[in-house]
Amino acid sequence: MKQGQIVTTVACLMFAWACGCSSAGPRYPERIPEDRLPAEEILWPAAPYPPKIAYVTAFNGTADLGVSRSFFDLLGRIAGISSDEAFVRPTAIATAGSLLAVADPGKAALFLVDRQARRYKKITEGDAGELVSPVGVAIGNEGTVYLTDSALGRVYLYGRDGRLRDTWGQGELARPSGVAIDETLRRLYVVDAARHHVVVYDLEGRILFTFGTHGLGEGEFNWPSHVYVDPGELVHVVDSLNFRVQVFKSDGTFVSTFGRAGNVSGDIARPKGIARDSNGNLYVVDALFDSVQIFDVTGELLLSFGKRGVGPGEFWLPTGLAIARDDTIYVADSHNHRIQVFRFLAGN
């Protein structure tokens, strides 16, 4: 193997480690049978403490929503999901209004569900052929879906109808992964894991600036993977192989950092998806701990939920995370081939 090929191979392996991807996935499990669903609520923390997180449901795929049942009831009870509709390795998830988007690199597809229209679409095509490794997704207020393909080095823009509208990043991005939109400033933040920086676009596809470089210091990254934006304010970047989350102003100025490598509560082993609830708490998926950790605005650990397993509320290499405005929490439970749904109990 030539030296250039070796370098490329090592880079791809490092990206896969940082993003929690694996070419050899476990055997595909069937959907959770109704007799295995919990008879009682699953809550965190356990009694006698007031519950903050409640398990809602899980679904292994998407299907025609043109029935009278509620969305969660339908997804939780669908029988006989076809192989075309089932997830293989759901890695990223986004939600806005009635839209729900799931990026599945195992299927080389984007699943786009419009709950209001009660239909879904499986998208497998980009501008130059089939998608290869869709790993990041975000949805704008107008229903535009932004999808990153790490292998193709592109950001694809789809309408809420699933039609391709534009393509960005060719020749500009090496290994795009996480993506987040700032509707207030009309910007798109794209993590380029292989180049260890964040690329900031305007919503016409022009690069405004980049921030970050390879390293261990403040404002430096080591295979970053995900990003979350507080519109017009702060940008949170998951610095995966530095085992931390870094916080920046919207212009890329460093603000703070939290997290460290370790195996006790509050440590971060393999951080992935990140999002915020209505109380301002930050949720960080940890793929190695098979859990979701919740931090306050100062980076102090408040609570974690989940553990290794295949049952309700258990995870196997979780990756993506999204929180809707009503505090519904979606977690891409990648090696369990499903999306799990939880609820933040804000009033407790």
Side-chain angles (χ1 to χ4, degrees):
M1 184 180 292
K2 296 182 180 179
Q3 184 176 1
Q5 293 175 313
I6 294 174
V7 171
T8 300
T9 301
V10 171
C12 291
L13 290 173
M14 290 296 287
F15 177 80
W17 196 96
C19 292
C21 301
S22 170
S23 59
R27 179 177 176 271
Y28 177 74
E30 299 295 330
R31 68 184 182 90
I32 300 176
E34 291 189 19
D35 60 5
R36 285 179 55 201
L37 292 176
E40 299 181 356
E41 283 190 301
I42 300 176
L43 302 169
W44 294 267
Y49 301 101
K52 296 296 182 181
I53 302 295
Y55 172 84
V56 177
T57 190
F59 53 96
N60 294 87
T62 186
D64 184 4
L65 302 180
V67 296
S68 58
R69 291 177 178 173
S70 70
F71 175 67
F72 288 135
D73 181 63
L74 176 63
L75 289 178
R77 297 174 182 272
I78 283 176
I81 295 176
S82 74
S83 60
D84 185 62
E85 296 162 342
F87 300 138
V88 173
R89 196 172 74 248
T91 296
I93 187 164
T95 183
S98 66
L99 290 181
L100 185 71
V102 178
D104 188 340
K107 204 86 168 190
L110 168 69
F111 291 91
L112 183 59
V113 179
D114 189 329
R115 288 169 284 183
Q116 183 176 6
R118 297 187 177 274
R119 65 169 62 96
Y120 80 96
K121 186 169 185 179
K122 177 187 173 187
I123 300 168
T124 59
E125 296 292 326
D127 60 332
E130 295 184 350
L131 299 174
V132 177
S133 181
V135 296
V137 65
I139 304 175
N141 288 341
E142 297 177 356
T144 302
V145 180
Y146 302 85
L147 177 74
T148 58
D149 190 304
S150 62
L152 298 177
R154 290 175 172 86
V155 179
Y156 292 106
L157 283 64
Y158 299 93
R160 66 181 301 127
D161 59 359
R163 294 184 181 181
L164 182 65
R165 292 185 175 180
D166 206 349
T167 306
W168 301 348
Q170 186 173 6
E172 301 167 350
L173 300 169
R175 284 269 169 180
S177 53
V179 57
I181 187 170
D182 186 333
E183 292 283 7
T184 300
L185 298 178
R186 307 292 292 169
R187 293 175 179 175
L188 191 76
Y189 291 77
V190 181
V191 175
D192 193 330
R195 290 179 176 164
H196 312 283
H197 67 196
V198 177
V199 182
V200 184
Y201 289 88
D202 66 18
L203 296 191
E204 282 69 51
R206 296 182 291 264
I207 293 181
L208 299 176
F209 58 93
T210 66
F211 64 92
T213 187
H214 193 202
L216 306 176
E218 295 178 349
E220 299 176 340
F221 301 117
N222 188 17
W223 292 90
S225 61
H226 295 75
V227 60
Y228 173 79
V229 174
D230 293 312
E233 298 181 13
L234 298 177
V235 179
H236 303 77
V237 181
V238 177
D239 190 7
S240 287
L241 295 192
N242 279 330
F243 313 103
R244 64 187 180 185
V245 174
Q246 295 200 65
V247 185
F248 301 84
K249 294 181 180 179
S250 58
D251 62 1
T253 302
F254 174 82
V255 174
S256 63
T257 184
F258 67 90
R260 62 186 183 277
N263 58 5
V264 299
S265 295
D267 292 344
I268 299 177
R270 195 186 294 182
K272 302 298 171 191
I274 183 170
R276 191 186 292 281
D277 67 25
S278 63
N279 276 12
N281 303 314
L282 280 169
Y283 294 58
V284 181
V285 173
D286 196 309
L288 193 60
F289 288 163
D290 295 297
S291 66
V292 178
Q293 300 193 72
I294 307 174
F295 299 87
D296 66 14
V297 294
T298 68
E300 291 295 319
L301 180 68
L302 299 175
L303 176 68
S304 66
F305 63 93
K307 62 180 181 178
R308 168 63 69 91
V310 300
E314 299 174 344
F315 301 112
W316 190 354
L317 286 178
T319 50
L321 175 72
I323 301 178
R325 290 184 178 180
D326 65 354
D327 283 325
T328 299
I329 304 161
Y330 301 88
V331 181
D333 189 9
S334 64
H335 274 51
N336 278 326
H337 315 281
R338 65 187 179 187
I339 302 297
Q340 294 205 64
V341 185
F342 304 84
R343 179 84 64 181
F344 170 54
L345 307 175
N348 288 8

